[in-house]
Amino acid sequence: MKESTFQPKSEVHELSDLAYKADLADYSPVRGCMVIKPYGYAIWENIQKDLDRRIKDCGYPNAYFPLLIPESFMRKEAEHVEGFAPECAVVTHAGGEKLEEPLVIRPTSETIIYHMFGKWIRSWRDLPYGINQWANVVRWEMRTRLFLRTTEFLWQEGHTAHATRESADGDARRMLETYRQFFEEILALAPVVGEKSENERFAGAERTYSLEVLLRDGKALQSGTSHYLGQGFAKAFEITYQSKQNELEFAHLNSWGVSTRLIGALILGHQDELGLILPPAVAPYQVVIIPIYKTEEEKSLVLASCAELKAELKEAGLRIFVDDDDQSSPGAKFNKWELKGAPLRIHLGPRDVKNDCAELARRDTRVKTRDIPRAALSAKVQEELSSIQAALLERNRSWVRENTFTVESLEELSEKLSTGNGGFARVHWAGGKEEEKELQTKTKASIRVCPFDEADEEGVCIMTGKPSKRRVWVAKAY
Amino acid sequence: MKESTFQPKSEVHELSDLAYKADLADYSPVRGCMVIKPYGYAIWENIQKDLDRRIKDCGYPNAYFPLLIPESFMRKEAEHVEGFAPECAVVTHAGGEKLEEPLVIRPTSETIIYHMFGKWIRSWRDLPYGINQWANVVRWEMRTRLFLRTTEFLWQEGHTAHATRESADGDARRMLETYRQFFEEILALAPVVGEKSENERFAGAERTYSLEVLLRDGKALQSGTSHYLGQGFAKAFEITYQSKQNELEFAHLNSWGVSTRLIGALILGHQDELGLILPPAVAPYQVVIIPIYKTEEEKSLVLASCAELKAELKEAGLRIFVDDDDQSSPGAKFNKWELKGAPLRIHLGPRDVKNDCAELARRDTRVKTRDIPRAALSAKVQEELSSIQAALLERNRSWVRENTFTVESLEELSEKLSTGNGGFARVHWAGGKEEEKELQTKTKASIRVCPFDEADEEGVCIMTGKPSKRRVWVAKAY
């Protein structure tokens, strides 16, 4: 794999390794960029389809803005350019000529979208106003890793404008809650949700909210964010509206997004030693049917039965694949689909056809049930799929519960995070940006989030010794 | 609109003008790039949803490949680089440093995708192999025009590999036929399909097939293409397979695509002096309900009835919008939705609510039907939508029929194309690339296509006077 710039790391199932072996992605000859293969892309399509509906139900339709952004736009918001300029890919030549002004490939689209908002928004009647965009973005990352951090990635970015701080901040939280429901119901992941610390805030945001997923390797993954941007961008891009009182006001802006990193969260969040375990709601194939036969006569009998069964399950709205590859044995196929994480398998041999039944194998529990009557199979399959979806969520929820602990000192924190499963440490904190950097240096961990559901509690900051009123959650992170 | 680099041209409804007024797109501050607004993007989503299913039914799943392509890749196929190099946007700097090798933003993805095909394809058992990609591409065009020609556009590009010329060429035609059916059934456009002349061939292709749509301004629009690429790219990117006879062979490749240009085809293909007429299959809203009231009492009565009706029609699977904007009159709304091309409108006033009926207005025929009983309305709406979809296709089919004529000389050709509605001229042709350029210079028209259904016929080339065996179709084009 000489062309790769990905840096594998051996833990549980190492992400790049599993993503590659399960045929979700491949390394590309372009620095830090991956190829998303059909099996991986189908997961993304299932994510898109569901989340897109949820975003539209929130009142935000899709639109599309240019990939290329004039460099001067990036500079209009001071914090934003400081955060993103080092990661930008820059087009200096086009159509055989040097450009008068270089164009950057969008690392995120605040600047170009807010330029348009400035043209479109006129009155309080236009607010709240918002759009969503499904797009590719490029950030020149030094250390890349399949799905988690790639130079180019796919995402959706929502951008909304509001009349007041309250309306904007409330909507930023509403979109975070929309993500949270999507994570639990579709991805079967139980994220910890709350506000980010100062050091982890989006470049240009007043408040950043985040969903942090605890992976099987004990690290946390920032898997989605929602930002209340205040009026900074509105001032930079002159997004003003005529208020009810007929005064010109600057709008309050939000942005929020999730990316193909979610596939990384799935891979590292749902796996065991056999490989991936995909939640049925996003699995490319919810059921893989594996024909078992020896003779040519058995083959035609079994394949005909598989085709019937496939048609029946498809009719029920399920995603089905019959693995009729002649070149590998049933055993090899069991292993393959265990690695690839198909939630359910149906094993169908001549005896099953004769007895009008089939064997069902669950990926998560590895329980096999023989001799399920064909008449009951479709209902049983749907019941098992619901059960797997629920079980995976519960498994992740338990994982968070079991690996979240309360510590009272820096020493204890370092020790806890370096042993066992890793996980989240609840610590008292009253430090600022500098102390956050110190924490990172000393423990290789960082403040992931201050969860909404942490109660107020008096305590002492583990770094500064100052009084603290609430605990934050610290973890090692990608 | 000082920032625009689009060049309007006044004809029928000028494209950019109508696209802008109907709120499908806006001009962006980035040279030649547009912003696709929600009303325009919703059309693209409807296109995607239907076409994506058709492509998958052909056996080709989606995947995603990098946006950025090493410059050296572009040079591996001689004709390809000659065709595309002048249009490339080039990234020379990234992450604050000069790159060792410049990267081009994909103008099309043959090179990067075929590099991966070379890694993936091993045996005749792997063939045919193919994928589709929905992506953005960038071509540095000098003369841009909303939807028809923009520096960045959205498209799908399919890429397939085959064992033989026959298999590949047959599949290129199958994908063209897939597009043709999609054009007729969904876009309500009757394209002329056939093979492109040498001069109009894709850079690197052996044969290019095309769908040419005749627009209301009498010009033809190349609206989709399918290419048989031969073995050139396979040789450049070492895509070999072990044949059944155990010999190493180069694969035969195809590519095919349609883009957001289809929205341009819709705008210029379906319109009248009032504005756009959208086919129901792609219209963001198939039915727009317009409440009519004067008093507050009427308002609440009518709006409640509109909400009920909306729920009922949504239940029937239709896309519905209630235009309850308080700031404009019913008359202004009629005009607005005529301009924006909503296929059907329902006008609902207090008298209608009282009599339990409604008025239906068809956009294409402008026929209004009063007093349709509410109980019959849903069925009537669905019947009218089918009727509009069919009528628009028939209207475009007639347009092609009425504006296609047979000419026997260059003089006659020039005259015909410059008068009346423009349209297609069937001419005998035996020229080569040079004569095609001469034709363009003399008539401002070009050979669009040699239709599959043109019969063999002996004749004399209008340019060279040489014997010709078949007619080609010439038109002015975008």
Side-chain angles (χ1 to χ4, degrees):
Chain A
M1 217 50 50
K2 66 178 183 343
E3 304 152 328
S4 165
T5 57
F6 290 91
Q7 297 159 351
K9 184 165 182 296
S10 54
E11 279 160 350
V12 194
H13 270 286
E14 199 282 316
L15 173 73
S16 298
D17 192 46
L18 187 50
Y20 178 77
K21 281 188 187 155
D23 211 29
L24 274 69
D26 200 350
Y27 303 92
S28 91
V30 187
R31 188 192 163 289
C33 292
M34 66 178 165
V35 172
I36 308 179
K37 295 187 76 175
Y39 193 67
Y41 199 81
I43 298 174
W44 183 238
E45 289 182 284
N46 291 332
I47 287 173
Q48 282 190 299
K49 197 173 164 187
D50 186 274
L51 184 57
D52 189 69
R53 183 186 53 73
R54 290 174 195 255
I55 293 170
K56 283 176 178 153
D57 285 348
C58 288
Y60 302 129
N62 290 331
Y64 189 78
F65 296 81
L67 170 75
L68 300 172
I69 300 177
E71 217 176 35
S72 57
F73 276 46
M74 293 298 292
R75 289 200 214 96
K76 287 195 179 183
E77 212 286 339
E79 285 179 34
H80 192 65
V81 67
E82 197 188 323
F84 282 105
E87 296 182 0
C88 282
V90 189
V91 176
T92 55
H93 292 71
E97 289 180 5
K98 188 163 189 284
L99 297 177
E100 276 182 40
E101 180 184 1
L103 299 168
V104 306
I105 300 180
R106 62 181 162 218
T108 178
S109 303
E110 275 75 8
T111 57
I112 184 78
I113 291 180
Y114 299 161
H115 172 85
M116 299 310 294
F117 276 19
K119 291 177 67 179
W120 297 338
I121 292 168
R122 290 281 166 264
S123 146
W124 63 271
R125 289 179 212 278
D126 299 329
L127 303 178
Y129 180 85
I131 58 89
N132 180 50
Q133 169 171 272
W134 292 95
N136 54 343
V137 289
V138 170
R139 297 179 186 175
W140 215 254
E141 301 276 2
M142 291 317 293
R143 299 170 43 147
T144 55
R145 200 183 279 265
L146 286 181
F147 288 113
L148 287 198
R149 182 167 277 116
T150 47
T151 298
E152 180 189 8
F153 57 90
L154 306 181
W155 78 348
Q156 62 68 216
E157 49 180 320
H159 295 270
T160 65
H162 304 261
T164 64
R165 165 184 294 266
E166 292 67 36
S167 163
D169 192 53
D171 206 61
R173 285 166 177 257
R174 178 175 74 128
M175 297 319 295
L176 195 80
E177 172 61 18
T178 301
Y179 286 145
R180 194 192 60 75
Q181 289 172 14
F182 165 76
F183 273 50
E184 298 206 346
E185 294 166 15
I186 304 302
L187 306 181
L189 292 169
V192 179
V193 297
E195 188 173 352
K196 280 288 194 188
S197 60
E198 198 184 344
N199 202 40
E200 300 275 328
R201 224 175 260 155
F202 177 77
E206 284 199 18
R207 309 187 77 167
T208 286
Y209 303 111
S210 159
L211 304 103
E212 301 282 325
V213 170
L214 188 62
L215 307 171
R216 298 305 290 182
D217 61 6
K219 288 192 181 174
L221 184 70
Q222 176 181 307
S223 303
T225 49
S226 180
H227 315 289
Y228 166 58
L229 302 171
Q231 294 180 301
F233 281 101
K235 286 172 184 165
F237 290 94
E238 295 175 63
I239 309 174
T240 55
Y241 69 95
Q242 206 82 31
S243 74
K244 277 190 192 176
Q245 293 73 35
N246 221 19
E247 281 170 33
L248 210 58
E249 308 269 6
F250 286 106
H252 294 256
L253 303 179
N254 289 345
S255 64
W256 28 271
V258 297
S259 73
T260 35
R261 169 176 267 208
L262 291 182
I263 299 175
L266 287 169
I267 297 171
L268 286 172
H270 301 302
Q271 56 162 265
D272 60 18
E273 68 278 18
L274 302 181
L276 194 53
I277 311 174
L278 286 171
V282 295
Y285 307 118
Q286 296 163 314
V287 184
V288 171
I289 302 174
I290 298 176
I292 299 164
Y293 53 82
K294 282 181 184 143
T295 66
E296 278 301 308
E297 197 190 349
E298 283 177 1
K299 179 178 171 180
S300 67
L301 185 77
V302 167
L303 286 184
S305 185
C306 287
E308 267 174 40
L309 186 55
K310 179 182 174 180
E312 186 189 333
L313 294 174
K314 246 188 124 170
E315 187 65 32
L318 301 176
R319 296 186 290 273
I320 314 294
F321 182 72
V322 178
D323 190 349
D324 57 3
D325 175 13
D326 243 349
Q327 302 299 298
S328 52
S329 69
K333 289 178 187 174
F334 300 163
N335 294 342
K336 173 181 163 188
W337 290 106
E338 275 165 347
L339 175 67
K340 288 168 79 90
L344 271 184
R345 298 191 309 278
I346 294 175
H347 305 158
L348 205 83
R351 200 186 64 88
D352 299 303
V353 177
K354 208 174 121 199
N355 297 341
D356 210 27
C357 63
E359 179 176 274
L360 208 57
R362 249 178 94 138
R363 173 66 185 86
D364 61 336
T365 58
R366 302 186 209 168
V367 170
K368 291 182 188 174
T369 314
R370 300 197 63 164
D371 299 334
I372 301 174
R374 275 290 284 269
L377 194 58
S378 177
K380 179 72 175 165
V381 161
Q382 295 185 60
E383 185 192 312
E384 290 286 0
L385 290 173
S386 300
S387 166
I388 295 167
Q389 184 77 29
L392 288 176
L393 174 59
E394 192 43 45
R395 183 170 175 259
N396 186 252
R397 209 191 290 283
S398 306
W399 186 248
V400 177
R401 204 166 37 228
E402 287 159 17
N403 295 293
T404 300
F405 38 86
T406 303
V407 303
E408 307 298 350
S409 73
L410 202 56
E411 297 67 40
E412 201 188 344
L413 177 71
S414 293
E415 198 219 306
K416 274 283 199 182
L417 291 180
S418 312
T419 55
N421 292 327
F424 287 114
R426 298 173 61 242
V427 305
H428 271 290
W429 188 261
K433 261 191 159 177
E434 282 314 307
E435 286 80 12
E436 280 194 62
K437 285 178 192 158
E438 201 183 331
L439 177 75
Q440 178 93 48
T441 311
K442 287 187 172 162
T443 65
K444 310 249 183 279
S446 53
I447 301 175
R448 301 318 304 155
V449 69
C450 179
F452 293 139
D453 56 8
E454 269 289 341
D456 288 347
E457 183 196 279
E458 302 284 330
V460 174
C461 172
I462 58 161
M463 184 64 79
T464 61
K466 289 182 191 162
S468 145
K469 302 207 161 189
R470 222 170 157 205
R471 289 184 184 270
V472 298
W473 289 29
V474 171
K476 291 188 179 173
Y478 281 100
Chain B
M1 217 48 51
K2 67 180 183 338
E3 302 152 327
S4 164
T5 57
F6 289 91
Q7 297 159 351
K9 183 163 182 297
S10 53
E11 280 159 352
V12 193
H13 269 287
E14 199 282 316
L15 173 73
S16 298
D17 192 46
L18 187 50
Y20 179 77
K21 281 189 187 156
D23 212 28
L24 273 69
D26 200 351
Y27 303 92
S28 90
V30 187
R31 189 193 162 288
C33 292
M34 66 178 166
V35 172
I36 308 179
K37 295 188 78 176
Y39 193 68
Y41 198 81
I43 297 174
W44 182 238
E45 289 181 285
N46 291 332
I47 286 173
Q48 282 190 299
K49 198 173 164 189
D50 186 274
L51 185 58
D52 189 69
R53 183 186 54 73
R54 291 175 195 255
I55 293 170
K56 283 176 177 153
D57 285 348
C58 287
Y60 301 128
N62 291 329
Y64 189 77
F65 296 81
L67 169 76
L68 300 172
I69 301 178
E71 217 175 35
S72 57
F73 276 46
M74 292 299 291
R75 288 199 214 96
K76 287 194 179 184
E77 214 287 339
E79 284 179 33
H80 193 66
V81 66
E82 196 188 322
F84 284 104
E87 296 182 358
C88 282
V90 188
V91 175
T92 56
H93 292 71
E97 288 179 6
K98 188 163 188 284
L99 297 176
E100 276 182 39
E101 181 185 0
L103 299 167
V104 306
I105 299 180
R106 62 182 163 219
T108 179
S109 303
E110 275 75 9
T111 57
I112 184 76
I113 290 180
Y114 298 160
H115 172 85
M116 299 309 295
F117 276 19
K119 290 177 67 179
W120 298 338
I121 292 168
R122 290 281 165 264
S123 148
W124 63 270
R125 288 179 212 278
D126 299 329
L127 302 178
Y129 180 85
I131 59 90
N132 180 49
Q133 168 171 274
W134 292 95
N136 53 343
V137 289
V138 170
R139 297 180 186 174
W140 215 255
E141 301 276 3
M142 292 317 293
R143 299 172 43 149
T144 55
R145 201 183 277 265
L146 287 181
F147 288 113
L148 286 199
R149 182 166 276 117
T150 47
T151 298
E152 180 189 9
F153 56 91
L154 305 181
W155 77 346
Q156 61 69 219
E157 48 180 322
H159 295 272
T160 65
H162 305 260
T164 64
R165 165 184 294 267
E166 292 66 37
S167 164
D169 192 52
D171 206 60
R173 285 166 176 256
R174 179 175 72 129
M175 297 319 295
L176 195 79
E177 173 60 19
T178 301
Y179 286 144
R180 194 192 60 74
Q181 289 172 14
F182 165 75
F183 274 51
E184 296 205 347
E185 293 165 17
I186 303 301
L187 306 181
L189 292 169
V192 179
V193 296
E195 188 174 352
K196 280 286 193 188
S197 60
E198 198 184 344
N199 202 40
E200 301 275 328
R201 225 174 258 156
F202 177 77
E206 283 200 18
R207 309 186 77 165
T208 287
Y209 303 109
S210 159
L211 304 102
E212 301 282 326
V213 170
L214 189 62
L215 307 171
R216 297 305 289 182
D217 62 6
K219 287 191 181 175
L221 183 71
Q222 177 180 308
S223 304
T225 49
S226 179
H227 316 289
Y228 166 59
L229 303 172
Q231 295 179 301
F233 281 100
K235 286 173 184 165
F237 290 94
E238 295 175 64
I239 308 174
T240 56
Y241 69 94
Q242 207 82 30
S243 74
K244 277 189 191 176
Q245 293 74 35
N246 222 21
E247 280 171 32
L248 209 59
E249 308 269 9
F250 287 107
H252 294 255
L253 302 179
N254 289 346
S255 63
W256 27 272
V258 297
S259 73
T260 35
R261 170 175 267 208
L262 291 182
I263 299 175
L266 286 170
I267 297 172
L268 287 172
H270 300 301
Q271 56 162 265
D272 61 17
E273 69 277 19
L274 301 181
L276 195 52
I277 311 174
L278 286 171
V282 295
Y285 307 118
Q286 296 162 314
V287 183
V288 172
I289 302 174
I290 297 176
I292 299 164
Y293 53 82
K294 283 182 184 143
T295 66
E296 277 301 309
E297 196 189 351
E298 283 177 359
K299 179 179 172 180
S300 66
L301 185 78
V302 168
L303 286 185
S305 184
C306 287
E308 268 176 40
L309 186 56
K310 179 183 174 180
E312 186 190 333
L313 295 174
K314 245 188 124 169
E315 187 64 33
L318 301 176
R319 296 185 291 272
I320 314 294
F321 182 73
V322 178
D323 190 349
D324 58 3
D325 175 13
D326 243 350
Q327 302 299 300
S328 53
S329 69
K333 290 178 188 175
F334 299 163
N335 294 342
K336 173 180 161 187
W337 290 105
E338 275 166 345
L339 175 67
K340 287 166 80 90
L344 270 185
R345 297 191 310 278
I346 294 176
H347 305 157
L348 204 84
R351 199 187 63 91
D352 299 302
V353 177
K354 207 173 122 202
N355 298 342
D356 209 27
C357 64
E359 180 176 272
L360 207 58
R362 250 178 93 138
R363 173 64 184 87
D364 62 335
T365 58
R366 301 184 208 169
V367 170
K368 291 182 188 174
T369 314
R370 301 194 64 163
D371 299 332
I372 301 175
R374 275 289 284 269
L377 194 57
S378 177
K380 179 71 175 165
V381 161
Q382 294 184 61
E383 185 192 312
E384 291 285 1
L385 289 173
S386 301
S387 166
I388 295 167
Q389 184 77 29
L392 287 176
L393 174 60
E394 192 42 47
R395 183 170 175 259
N396 186 250
R397 208 191 292 283
S398 306
W399 185 249
V400 177
R401 204 166 37 229
E402 287 160 16
N403 295 293
T404 300
F405 38 86
T406 303
V407 304
E408 306 297 351
S409 73
L410 202 57
E411 297 66 41
E412 201 187 344
L413 177 71
S414 293
E415 199 218 305
K416 274 282 197 181
L417 291 181
S418 312
T419 55
N421 292 327
F424 287 114
R426 298 172 62 240
V427 306
H428 270 291
W429 187 260
K433 260 190 161 177
E434 283 313 307
E435 287 80 12
E436 281 194 63
K437 285 177 191 158
E438 202 183 330
L439 177 74
Q440 179 92 48
T441 312
K442 287 188 172 161
T443 65
K444 312 249 182 279
S446 53
I447 302 176
R448 301 318 304 154
V449 69
C450 178
F452 292 140
D453 56 8
E454 268 290 341
D456 287 347
E457 182 195 281
E458 301 284 331
V460 174
C461 172
I462 58 162
M463 183 64 78
T464 61
K466 288 183 192 162
S468 145
K469 303 204 164 194
R470 223 171 156 203
R471 290 184 183 270
V472 297
W473 290 28
V474 171
K476 292 187 179 176
Y478 280 99

